């Protein structure tokens, strides 16, 4: 049996692993939840023959560095993250399921499917009696969705220690490899208005929410489709009570740039 046939025949085992990973919900902000999945990976990878180092973190889920030896060829770092944007309880309204050749569930696309793929790729080689051409390191981080501040130093350290790095986030719809990422900016903007009673004297006030609304249009105007620059006001709030002109408001802006210089603009 060739490797491709063996991979297709291992579909059931792969989906079992994927289901186990997806049913442990891991929003970045919930350290206890993330550590629960770190426990799973530590146990699973150790049982599969990986050498596993667990790096404790105070504010986010623990990080894992798992290694298997190869024949001495090019060394490979497989870079993954197991945190997701989905809050605890998402499975109740969006349960994992299979429809034909598509498997659904929170975090599968980004990027628990990639982690399952890494685990089974190495396991499949072992089952087929194939020795890995080079050493493989699997890095599992827990804060990618919020900028990798707690894992960046480790990522950079391991990256320079390996000949090549593979990031198992999903491809675009055409299946092409991703060979780069957009630059990301997160901006937090505060607005200060003048409070006044909305019924008795509204003209004496100045609404912070009104200014935020103008700011939304300004942000959208920063986009450049040709340069693939996106700017979106993603979170907003304002005001304190229903009968007072809003004295404060705040907004969060997500910026993505592909071309150098666009961030400065």
């Amino acid at each position: 049996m060739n490797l491709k046939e063996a991979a297709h025949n291992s579909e059931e085992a792969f989906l079992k692993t994927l289901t186990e990973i997806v049913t442990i919900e891991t929003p970045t902000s919930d350290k206890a939840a993330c550590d629960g999945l770190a426990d799973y990976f530590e146990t699973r990878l150790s049982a599969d023959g990986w050498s596993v180092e667990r790096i404790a973190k105070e504010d986010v889920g623990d990080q894992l560095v798992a290694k298997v030896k190869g024949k001495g060829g090019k060394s490979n770092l497989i870079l993954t993250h197991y945190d997701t944007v989905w809050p605890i309880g998402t499975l109740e309204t969006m349960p994992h399921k299979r429809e034909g050749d598509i498997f659904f569930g929170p975090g599968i696309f980004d990027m628990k499917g990639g982690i399952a793929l890494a685990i089974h790729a190495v396991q499949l080689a072992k089952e087929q009696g194939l020795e890995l051409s080079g050493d493989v390191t699997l890095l599992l981080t827990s804060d990618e969705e919020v900028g990798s501040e707690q894992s960046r130093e480790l990522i950079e350290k391991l990256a320079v220690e390996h000949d090549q790095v593979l990031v198992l986030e999903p491809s675009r719809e055409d299946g092409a490899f991703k060979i780069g990422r957009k630059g990301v900016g997160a901006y937090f903007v505060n607005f200060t208005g003048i409070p006044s009673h909305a019924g008795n004297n509204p003209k004496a006030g100045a609404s912070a929410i009104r200014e935020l609304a103008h700011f939304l249009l300004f942000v959208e105007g920063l986009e450049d489709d040709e340069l693939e620059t996106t700017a979106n006001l993603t979170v907003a709030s304002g005001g304190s009570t229903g009968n007072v002109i809003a004295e404060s408001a705040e907004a969060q802006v997500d910026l993505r740039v592909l071309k150098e210089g666009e961030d400065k603009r």
Side-chain angles (χ1 to χ4, degrees), residues 95-142:
H96 62 81
K97 61 180 180 179
R98 178 175 182 171
E99 294 182 2
D101 288 335
I102 302 177
F103 202 86
F104 296 85
I108 286 179
F109 193 62
D110 181 18
M111 66 174 301
K112 292 182 175 181
I115 298 172
L117 181 64
I119 292 173
H120 280 270
V122 173
Q123 184 176 324
L124 186 62
K126 182 178 180 181
E127 291 172 351
Q128 295 298 303
L130 301 173
E131 188 176 4
L132 299 173
S133 62
D135 295 347
V136 174
T137 299
L138 174 62
L139 173 57
L140 295 136
T141 69
S142 59

Side-chain angles (χ1 to χ4, degrees), residues 204-230:
S207 172
I209 292 178
R210 179 184 176 84
E211 192 60 30
L212 189 157
H214 288 299
F215 181 69
L216 166 60
L217 300 178
F218 166 77
V219 169
E220 291 179 346
L222 294 174
E223 295 193 346
D224 189 318
D225 292 341
E226 184 175 343
L227 296 179
E228 298 187 48
T229 298
T230 61

Side-chain angles (χ1 to χ4, degrees), residues 226-242:
E226 184 175 343
L227 296 179
E228 298 187 48
T229 298
T230 61
N232 289 282
L233 196 156
T234 55
V235 179
S237 63
S240 59
T241 187

Side-chain angles (χ1 to χ4, degrees), residues 79-81 83 107-115 167-170:
L79 178 56
T80 70
H81 70 90
D83 60 313
I108 286 179
F109 193 62
D110 181 18
M111 66 174 301
K112 292 182 175 181
I115 298 172
V167 181
L168 297 191
E169 278 207 354

Side-chain angles (χ1 to χ4, degrees), residues 64-252:
L64 295 172
V65 180
K67 298 181 178 181
V68 289
K69 298 294 291 183
K71 290 190 294 186
K74 287 185 176 181
S75 59
N76 305 273
L77 173 63
I78 302 176
L79 178 56
T80 70
H81 70 90
Y82 65 86
D83 60 313
T84 77
V85 299
W86 303 99
I88 295 293
T90 299
L91 282 169
E92 296 177 10
T93 56
M94 193 172 74
H96 62 81
K97 61 180 180 179
R98 178 175 182 171
E99 294 182 2
D101 288 335
I102 302 177
F103 202 86
F104 296 85
I108 286 179
F109 193 62
D110 181 18
M111 66 174 301
K112 292 182 175 181
I115 298 172
L117 181 64
I119 292 173
H120 280 270
V122 173
Q123 184 176 324
L124 186 62
K126 182 178 180 181
E127 291 172 351
Q128 295 298 303
L130 301 173
E131 188 176 4
L132 299 173
S133 62
D135 295 347
V136 174
T137 299
L138 174 62
L139 173 57
L140 295 136
T141 69
S142 59
D143 64 336
E144 190 273 348
E145 298 293 357
V146 293
S148 298
E149 291 186 3
Q150 300 292 316
S151 56
R152 178 173 184 146
E153 183 177 350
L154 179 59
I155 292 170
E156 293 178 344
K157 174 180 179 295
L158 291 176
V160 298
E161 293 175 356
H162 292 77
D163 294 308
Q164 53 193 17
V165 181
L166 302 175
V167 181
L168 297 191
E169 278 207 354
S171 67
R172 293 180 177 270
E173 290 185 2
D174 62 2
F177 279 113
K178 287 182 178 177
I179 58 172
R181 302 288 290 179
K182 283 187 173 182
V184 180
Y187 297 86
F188 300 84
V189 186
N190 296 304
F191 303 86
T192 301
I194 301 173
S196 180
H197 195 282
N200 294 335
N201 196 16
K203 296 296 184 181
S207 172
I209 292 178
R210 179 184 176 84
E211 192 60 30
L212 189 157
H214 288 299
F215 181 69
L216 166 60
L217 300 178
F218 166 77
V219 169
E220 291 179 346
L222 294 174
E223 295 193 346
D224 189 318
D225 292 341
E226 184 175 343
L227 296 179
E228 298 187 48
T229 298
T230 61
N232 289 282
L233 196 156
T234 55
V235 179
S237 63
S240 59
T241 187
N243 61 351
V244 173
I245 302 299
E247 71 275 23
S248 64
E250 58 186 19
Q252 183 173 342

Side-chain angles (χ1 to χ4, degrees), residues 12-22 40-41 44 112 115-117 119-120 123:
E12 184 175 342
F14 171 81
L15 291 179
K16 180 177 183 297
T17 296
L18 183 56
T19 299
E20 291 170 349
I21 295 173
V22 170
Y40 169 89
F41 285 132
R44 170 64 185 272
K112 292 182 175 181
I115 298 172
L117 181 64
I119 292 173
H120 280 270
Q123 184 176 324

